[in-house]
Amino acid sequence: MDTPDRSKINTPLSQFEDSPVFNYISNLSPIEPVKSVHITQTFNSLSFSSPPSVFTSPHVNCHRESRFLRRHNLLDASKAKGSSEDINNVYSREKTLADSTQLCHESSEPQENTNPNISVRDASNEPRDENPNISIEVPQGLKYNLASPGYEPVICADEADSLLELPGKPGSDVAYVPDDSEKDSIEGEMHIPGLCQNEEKVEGPDCGVDDLIAEASDLLMFSPPNMTEALKDINKQLSPSTKLTNFRTLLGQSATNEGQQMHIVDTVASGSEHEIENHPCESGAATDTVQRQDNHTNVALVANNPMEKVDDKLVYVTHRGIRRRCLDFEMASVQRKNLDGKSNTNSSTEKSDEMDVSKGKQLVPIKHSGDSRKCVLPGIGLHLNALASLNDCKNIKIETLISGRQTNLPSSSSSLQLSASQDHQLSLVPISVEKDLEPSENEVQPGEDCTQPLVHMAGEDLQQNSPKKKRQIYRRRLEPDGEGESCKRCNCKKSKCLKLYCECFAAGVYCIEPCSCRDCFNKPIHVDTVLQTRQQIESRNPLAFAPKVIRSSDSVPEIGDDPNKTPASARHKRGCNCKKSSCLKKYCECYQGGVGCSISCRCEGCKNTYGRKDGSVLSGIEAKPEEETEAGEKAVMENASHKTETQNTEEHPDHALPTTPLRLSRSLIPLPFSSKGKPPRSFVTTISSSGLFVSQKLGKSSAPRSQPKFEMPVQTIPDDDSPVTCIKTSSPNGKRISSPNCDVGSSPTRRGGRKLILQSIPSFPSLTPHNLRSD
DNA sequence: GAGTTTGAAACT
DNA sequence: CAGTTTCAAACTC
């Protein structure tokens, strides 16, 4: 590519020509321009054409696709502009890097997060620069993640990690088809992209080292001055290889002190995430790196949640699980669509993931490994599906990890539905998918649960045999943590696990070994069947896989509902139809979901402790004092929300439903369904939304109360401008559905978590909407 | 662990 | 859309 004549380039560059950085750039090899191009290509390659995931909710997909498209366009545009703009690109990139770095910093410091920076930058820069876009998207990623329980936000973060890997590995991009969450995550890592790009560019041994260093220095500009200086010194040195070596050394030295940024640099320097990914938990150094990465991601994505920040491990684990889910789903989809081999490419990555996961477990002693596993597997998230479940899973891990440290994890959570999720998010599914993709790797047996491996990894407990025992165990295990439900196994005998009767299927996750189902078709090997069935069901009822419990809060912001609706307010999307249980048992989906009954319920003799249909909200609390621990809390929350809602309802009986997001426009992506508390698992994946979820319930007292795995839109986060924080998708009905991910934050139980999220989210809000519109 | 109850999902 | 059947989870013993 021809390097445009600088003289021809007027503008702002002149201002910067004086800067050392600029000088350095000027001296860079001609390759520079190519870089820009490369970058573009890279993104394209990464392009995230999102294949339909097995358990993807249509809504989600739409969202995803649109986003991707947008991104592609941008990239293309940049390409089109060609070399002539290369210089500008360089400049832009420099700036972008700086910005991203800054962003990172900000992320690390939630309080500081401010959209303004990003916005400003964007404004100044023409769209042509890819980075800007990326930057812009970061917010989305955050939103997305946040929105999805688990689904998944967290997922995104992890995914981001994996994305990092891609650059260095040819073809990997194909394999890794990021789903929404992934994209988000990627976006979240935008600051890194530049580096990654470089990496790719650098493919050649030394070539690009200068650039690398240069960029690194730029990044470091935000770091301690000494670092920057050091880097510059290195530049003055001789051979590229030498530079690189020195650079690494330098980085290594500073690594100790440099948290997030360092991780970025590290990645760049090493030139292969592989290293990092492969040794996540093994060596201290490696682990550190990984964690840093994750942290970074987290920061970027989640920045809101102090807790996460606080606990690196926690974050790491969470992300991992989520990430897996999303990726797997995606992969599965990809596989289906593109039998072409991506598998090869990914194999390494996948392995890495697997390793990470397993290792991740190692990082912290996880009692609930089994749960984790499930969560991980089911993932998704649903999840952003099943986010609740995802969230649950996440929570579990988190809890475990944190145990001791912070009691307060924002247990409030997300469901991913997980889980997120998604809910779908969820983890189980992913793993299964992976297997499919890469039989060689973990595959246990074709037909078998892909999850098995996970099971082993995760835990031992899960290996129970008798269905009932399993179930009991499961319950025991999960419930205490809260929502272990997400990890439940099914026991289907006649439905072949292809109907909503099947919890796994409903949650958007594959059945796993622990399931005691018969003639199960809900396995990776039957992807096609699963997809078809799913589609069929969705065609009948688009919301079939949407979270059953919806938090009105999410929708509120978007629609502009009254702020009155508290995040806590959640309702079953369809309402229950209980006749004999008085809505006091898990037979009642409302109760099971930890939400009060609403007008939409047709129950008889409702005594739902979370809120009665008639509006006598928490009267129920009194009813069951003993359970009240959490229930009470919830109830209280509910009450509050109910009050608001009730008022509304009373005033506008007809709109009582409105409390339910469904009634409102459902913009949120339906995550995994969490209907039964358990579900949210994988759908997150689908949703990929699962974003970061905070676990929904940490500890709950009585089992039944396990609540809320339901998806509550993270969106609840009222404050920010990002009303749409959560991924919103429009349902066919145009109604809004909250994603499990979102839910996570909102769960009454975890108010704390929610708050945190709120604080941080604000930083990126504006961007998201912006992006969406652009789409 | 077997059997019953329950209500959602599916079917007509 | 309503009624019935099927199904599997929740629950009880």
Side-chain angles (χ1 to χ4, degrees), chain A residues 126-141:
Chain A
E126 286 102 356
R128 66 176 178 281
D129 187 88
E130 312 104 51
N131 291 331
N133 294 332
I134 295 167
S135 297
I136 292 169
E137 290 193 345
V138 170
Q140 282 185 345

Side-chain angles (χ1 to χ4, degrees), chain A residues 359-580:
Chain A
K359 291 177 182 179
K361 290 177 182 178
Q362 291 177 357
L363 286 176
V364 182
I366 298 171
K367 288 183 179 181
H368 307 281
S369 60
D371 293 346
S372 305
R373 160 184 69 75
K374 274 205 165 187
C375 292
V376 174
L377 290 177
I380 165 93
L382 42 174
H383 292 338
L384 314 183
N385 338 341
L387 289 202
S389 30
L390 290 179
N391 292 337
D392 293 349
C393 295
K394 285 186 358 179
N395 290 338
I396 294 168
K397 286 185 178 180
I398 292 169
E399 288 180 8
T400 303
L401 294 175
I402 296 171
S403 66
R405 293 184 198 170
Q406 306 176 354
T407 38
N408 304 339
L409 276 183
S411 31
S412 30
S413 58
S414 81
S415 169
L416 185 269
Q417 240 252 88
L418 345 166
S419 154
S421 108
Q422 89 57 157
D423 211 300
H424 352 206
Q425 21 277 141
L426 304 190
S427 346
L428 294 179
V429 173
I431 289 173
S432 301
V433 173
E434 280 186 0
K435 272 190 162 189
D436 276 358
L437 295 177
E438 300 179 347
S440 59
E441 296 252 301
N442 328 327
E443 119 178 257
V444 180
Q445 292 181 356
E448 287 288 77
D449 267 25
C450 318
T451 55
Q452 272 189 339
L454 289 179
V455 174
H456 291 297
M457 290 167 56
E460 332 69 45
D461 317 330
L462 297 183
Q463 322 260 355
Q464 331 278 345
N465 301 332
S466 88
K468 284 190 178 180
K469 277 189 178 179
K470 289 179 183 178
R471 201 195 268 181
Q472 289 178 352
I473 293 170
Y474 168 83
R475 256 188 238 155
R476 245 185 278 142
R477 226 191 260 152
L478 296 181
E479 287 185 349
D481 291 353
E483 325 246 316
E485 298 173 2
S486 56
C487 302
K488 287 183 181 179
R489 315 162 179 105
C490 70
N491 192 30
C492 307
K493 294 190 171 66
K494 298 181 179 180
S495 68
K496 296 182 180 179
C497 297
L498 290 177
K499 295 196 175 183
L500 292 176
Y501 294 127
C502 175
E503 290 189 5
C504 298
F505 181 78
V509 301
Y510 289 115
C511 290
I512 58 174
E513 183 245 316
C515 291
S516 31
C517 47
R518 297 177 188 173
D519 299 329
C520 180
F521 276 77
N522 186 28
K523 295 185 177 181
I525 56 173
H526 298 294
V527 174
D528 291 337
T529 303
V530 173
L531 282 173
Q532 285 184 333
T533 305
R534 229 184 105 82
Q535 290 179 340
Q536 198 173 11
I537 293 171
E538 286 186 325
S539 65
R540 226 184 311 163
N541 175 15
L543 301 179
F545 294 93
K548 292 182 178 178
V549 176
I550 302 168
R551 290 256 160 193
S552 60
S553 60
D554 345 338
S555 37
V556 174
E558 249 189 298
I559 297 171
D561 316 320
D562 6 10
N564 296 339
K565 296 179 181 179
T566 37
S569 64
R571 290 287 182 278
H572 190 276
K573 99 185 154 186
R574 274 177 324 157
C576 65
N577 192 31
C578 305
K579 300 270 187 336
K580 298 179 179 179

Side-chain angles (χ1 to χ4, degrees), chain A residues 192 194-196 198-200 202 204-209 211-217 219-220 227 231 234 240-241 243-255 261-276 289 292-293:
Chain A
I192 295 172
L195 294 176
C196 292
N198 288 337
E199 274 186 284
E200 201 170 36
V202 180
D206 294 331
C207 129
V209 172
D211 293 345
L212 223 161
I213 294 171
E215 290 184 358
S217 0
L219 289 174
L220 291 176
M227 271 298 286
L231 288 173
I234 291 173
S241 59
K243 288 180 180 179
L244 180 57
T245 302
N246 291 336
F247 180 64
R248 287 186 178 182
T249 301
L250 179 59
L251 291 175
Q253 292 176 345
S254 63
Q261 284 189 344
M262 282 316 298
H263 99 270
I264 297 169
V265 173
D266 228 355
T267 300
V268 174
S270 64
S272 96
E273 290 75 352
H274 207 39
E275 293 178 18
I276 296 170
T289 302
R292 254 179 274 146
Q293 255 187 319

Side-chain angles (χ1 to χ4, degrees), chain A residues 12 16 21 25 88-102 120-125 129 131 135 218 222:
Chain A
F16 301 83
V21 173
I25 293 169
N88 288 336
N89 287 338
V90 171
Y91 167 74
S92 298
R93 196 175 57 201
E94 289 289 333
K95 212 176 173 190
T96 300
L97 289 173
D99 289 347
S100 24
T101 301
Q102 187 173 2
V120 171
R121 199 214 350 145
D122 291 345
S124 63
N125 293 336
D129 187 88
N131 291 331
S135 297
D218 290 345
F222 293 86

